[in-house]
Amino acid sequence: MAGKLPKWLIATAAAVYFFLHAPLMVLVLFSFNNSKFSAGWEGFTVQWYQRLLERRDILDSLWVSVEVGVVSTIVSTLLGTLLALGLARHRFSGRTFLESLLYVPIVTPEIVCGISLLIFFTAASKWAGSGNELLASAGLPALLPVLAPGLLTIIIAHVAFNISFVVVVVRSRLEGMDRNLEEAAMILGADEFTAFWKVTVPQLWPGILSGALLAFTMSFDDFVITSLVTGPGSSTLPIVVYTMVRKNVEPSINAISTIILVVTAVLIYASDRLSQDKPLTPT
Amino acid sequence: MSGGGGSGGGGLRLAWLRWSARRPGVRAWSLMAPGTGWLLVFFLIPLGFMLAYSFMKKGVYGGVEPGFTLEHYLRFFDPLYLTILLRTVVYALGCTFFSLVMGYPVAYVISRSGAWKNLLMFLVILPFWTSFLVRTFAMIFLMRDTGLINTALIAMHLVQEPIEMLNTPFAVMTGLVYGFLPFMILPIYSSLEKLDPSLLEAAEVLGARPFARFTKVVLPLSMPGVVAGSLLVFIPALGSFLTSDLLGGAKEMMVGNLVQNQFIAARNWPFGSAASFVVMGVVLLAVFGFLKSRDDSAPGGL
């Protein structure tokens, strides 16, 4: 089959692959270049990686990114999986509305999503503030949560843009699964909960993990939305990298970029493997 | 049945199963309520807030004053903002065009690559999920005055002075295509993947030349992928912020930068909201156009 492709077509595709990958390879290569101005190759070094370890702000932001990534991944994977189960396995009214709602985060540009959350958090915390004053004047404790920009607002935003993507991944796995296995389990005496935990979940697991890895990757990489909802003292790694890119030309940026690339590549490879692991299907 | 449960929760569990078995809607929504609630409160309602803000008056220190006005939308007819809007649409369309021209051959090659398929697909998926910021920095690294391209050109004595590439339309367009090209390849690939090879054999037997086989059989059958891919590239390109911010500078401002600027620097929130809604409006038009074209073509297809 491959032999039948015309040579010019293969050459074109190869050129596009080169365009997609060469810039990143060059970036990685020059993270080991022993020259401050990175103009030409001046020998191998790991000093730019050592520099990273000396920078508190980078290490702190890495920790913030991991925290945000883990929490938002757990929440969005849980909510997204439940949504996928409802959508794939049940009849209910309001389906059209829900399907449209799930598409909103996928088609909304990041800047629009970030700005609308910035407005929302600002307005909500102002209202909560005056509500609490009102409560205080009535002798009651401050009950309304004031969402100060920071870790919490970042996590809320990340969950909001991740849910839909988790739903897409988990749902496609659910639709490839054989419902007869659950029914067989129930005929053999399991109730629906048992059938769900012992039959559905083990089969669905690769889909859930694959969705979770994608959610983590998106959370770990996000700059635009995070930069709009963050507050003082909670900078994620992309925010620090953005500042570095704006300010200077030091090869440390190449080094931190390389680390981010390697982490993402591993996560994406794992997610890809998991999604190719096929569920049991009727034969 | 309850014997299998055995635990203290068994009775409650059974009661819930019995009660909800006759109410499928209740059961579905009890699974879906948390996620739906989150999307309503933290996605749809904030968009509603933004829409409301775009009709209010500008506050003195940022924020808004109550009231209703159309001034922020009318402001878009100012040539300054019309230029930004037009530039954004041109960049987004240009990015879609170049992505299609470059992405289609790749999708075609992957769909007939046999044993290489998994590897080639992975090599498209990888940049698709790789940090956009890092990828944009890779473009800066190549294009800046002391970057790799200029260093190489000077070393080969092809130029004396570095060519200025950053902060030009070339840099922004290259950055956009580099960023969004994978979005084009994936849907085209999946529609080519479904194409039945026997149709091509039939066309060949009936005497169609390679070019005719492509234009009369392959291309029309892959149109759903082309349309979906174009939409997936056009939307983020239209709302892009980082590419024009880092590769274009002030001269190549797009609507995304205008929006961010109104919130962070100019502190004109209602105008920023209106600009944001103009982007959203174009996106929704594109999506509805896409859905309509899909519904129109569906019954006529194979």
Side-chain angles (χ1 to χ4, degrees), chain B:
Chain B
M1 196 146 117
S2 57
S7 62
L12 202 66
R13 204 153 89 168
L14 199 62
W16 159 254
L17 288 174
R18 281 203 183 127
W19 184 79
S20 64
R22 272 166 287 125
R23 298 167 183 82
V26 171
R27 199 176 270 197
W29 280 111
S30 66
L31 292 172
M32 302 186 302
T36 310
W38 199 289
L39 284 177
L40 280 178
V41 175
F42 297 118
F43 219 111
L44 208 60
I45 291 177
L47 286 176
F49 269 60
M50 196 171 76
L51 183 63
Y53 267 45
S54 72
F55 292 112
M56 289 191 209
K57 289 197 171 59
K58 173 182 181 289
V60 187
Y61 305 105
V64 287
E65 310 254 318
F68 180 86
T69 173
L70 286 173
E71 64 178 292
H72 310 297
Y73 287 97
L74 294 176
R75 228 176 134 187
F76 262 98
F77 292 100
D78 183 323
L80 175 66
Y81 301 119
L82 268 186
T83 314
I84 293 177
L85 193 61
L86 197 67
R87 180 189 296 133
T88 306
V89 173
V90 168
Y91 275 149
L93 287 174
C95 173
T96 311
F97 171 77
F98 288 118
S99 301
L100 180 58
V101 171
M102 292 167 72
Y104 200 102
V106 174
Y108 190 81
V109 168
I110 301 176
S111 74
R112 355 233 101 197
S113 57
W116 293 85
K117 199 173 279 182
N118 280 344
L119 177 67
L120 290 178
M121 270 310 277
F122 181 68
L123 288 176
V124 175
I125 293 171
L126 190 60
F128 180 81
W129 290 105
T130 299
S131 165
F132 199 81
L133 183 60
V134 168
R135 290 180 2 99
T136 308
F137 174 65
M139 288 285 112
I140 298 180
F141 188 71
L142 290 177
M143 288 189 203
R144 67 189 173 200
D145 288 356
T146 57
L148 200 68
I149 294 178
N150 274 317
T151 311
L153 288 177
I154 292 171
M156 290 189 286
H157 301 290
L158 289 171
V159 293
Q160 254 68 54
E161 297 282 305
I163 305 170
E164 201 182 317
M165 280 178 280
L166 285 185
N167 304 327
T168 62
F170 168 77
V172 178
M173 190 55 92
T174 310
L176 287 173
V177 175
Y178 183 63
F180 302 127
L181 178 59
F183 292 77
M184 182 67 87
I185 299 175
L186 297 175
I188 296 181
Y189 163 77
S190 64
S191 65
L192 285 173
E193 173 79 350
K194 288 189 209 114
L195 196 140
D196 185 353
S198 60
L199 287 172
L200 284 177
E201 281 161 29
E204 195 175 352
V205 170
L206 293 171
R209 296 186 163 275
F211 183 73
R213 289 205 294 273
F214 177 74
T215 54
K216 299 266 157 83
V217 182
V218 179
L219 192 59
L221 287 175
S222 62
M223 264 335 254
V226 170
V227 176
S230 302
L231 192 72
L232 287 178
V233 171
F234 182 75
I235 290 174
L238 196 75
S240 69
F241 162 78
L242 263 180
T243 313
S244 38
D245 181 54
L246 290 174
L247 299 172
K251 272 190 302 179
E252 301 300 326
M253 203 181 205
M254 291 172 72
V255 178
N257 310 91
L258 176 70
V259 172
Q260 192 253 9
N261 193 272
Q262 292 304 316
F263 276 86
I264 304 305
R267 305 205 63 79
N268 188 342
W269 286 31
F271 181 54
S273 302
S276 210
F277 247 89
V278 171
V279 177
M280 205 57 201
V282 181
V283 166
L284 290 179
L285 275 179
V287 172
F288 283 130
F290 164 73
L291 291 177
K292 204 168 156 7
S293 80
R294 198 182 58 178
D295 292 346
D296 290 350
S297 65
L302 282 174

Side-chain angles (χ1 to χ4, degrees), chain A residues 1-2 4-6 9-10 12-13 16-17 19-24 26-27 30 37-40 75 79-80 82-87 90-95 97-98 101-102 104-113 115-124 126-127 147 155-157 159-161 163-165 186 189-194 214 217-218 221 223-224 227-228 237-239 241-242 245-246 248-250 253-254 256-258 260-261 264-266 268-269 272-273 276, chain B residues 1 4-5 10 13-14 16-17 21 24-25 27-36 38-47 49-50 53 64 101-103 105-106 108-114 116 118-127 129-135 137-142 144 146-148 151-152 174 177-178 181-182 185 197 201 204 231-232 235-236 238-242 245-246 249 256-257 259-260 263-264 269 272-273 276-277 279-280 283-284 287 294:
Chain A
M1 196 90 158
K4 282 166 87 181
L5 287 168
L9 195 60
I10 293 175
T12 313
V16 175
Y17 272 103
F19 171 68
L20 279 178
H21 291 275
L24 291 177
V26 168
L27 198 69
F30 276 79
F37 300 104
S38 60
V75 177
L79 299 185
L82 291 175
L83 268 168
L85 279 166
L87 280 163
H90 292 279
R91 278 177 295 122
F92 58 92
S93 50
R95 182 179 281 276
F97 167 76
L98 186 58
L101 180 67
L102 285 169
V104 174
I106 295 176
V107 302
T108 304
E110 281 187 299
I111 185 92
V112 176
C113 167
I115 289 293
S116 66
L117 279 170
L118 169 65
I119 292 176
F120 175 76
F121 287 140
T122 312
K126 210 170 109 189
W127 291 344
L147 287 171
I155 290 170
I156 289 175
V159 173
F161 70 68
I163 289 178
S164 296
F165 292 91
M186 287 195 273
D191 66 23
E192 271 181 72
F193 280 106
T194 316
L214 293 186
T217 313
M218 287 199 289
D221 279 347
F223 167 75
V224 175
S227 72
L228 290 165
L237 187 58
I239 289 180
V241 173
Y242 176 82
V245 170
R246 289 242 85 159
N248 56 38
V249 292
E250 215 192 299
I253 311 174
N254 293 45
I256 188 74
S257 299
T258 302
I260 295 176
L261 284 176
T264 337
V266 170
I268 294 308
Y269 181 74
D272 194 46
R273 293 275 79 185
Q276 275 173 24
Chain B
M1 196 146 117
R13 204 153 89 168
L14 199 62
W16 159 254
L17 288 174
R27 199 176 270 197
W29 280 111
S30 66
L31 292 172
M32 302 186 302
T36 310
W38 199 289
L39 284 177
L40 280 178
V41 175
F42 297 118
F43 219 111
L44 208 60
I45 291 177
L47 286 176
F49 269 60
M50 196 171 76
Y53 267 45
V64 287
V101 171
M102 292 167 72
V106 174
Y108 190 81
V109 168
I110 301 176
S111 74
R112 355 233 101 197
S113 57
W116 293 85
N118 280 344
L119 177 67
L120 290 178
M121 270 310 277
F122 181 68
L123 288 176
V124 175
I125 293 171
L126 190 60
W129 290 105
T130 299
S131 165
F132 199 81
L133 183 60
V134 168
R135 290 180 2 99
F137 174 65
M139 288 285 112
I140 298 180
F141 188 71
L142 290 177
R144 67 189 173 200
T146 57
L148 200 68
T151 311
T174 310
V177 175
Y178 183 63
L181 178 59
I185 299 175
E201 281 161 29
E204 195 175 352
L231 192 72
L232 287 178
I235 290 174
L238 196 75
S240 69
F241 162 78
L242 263 180
D245 181 54
L246 290 174
N257 310 91
V259 172
Q260 192 253 9
F263 276 86
I264 304 305
W269 286 31
S273 302
S276 210
F277 247 89
V279 177
M280 205 57 201
V283 166
L284 290 179
V287 172
R294 198 182 58 178

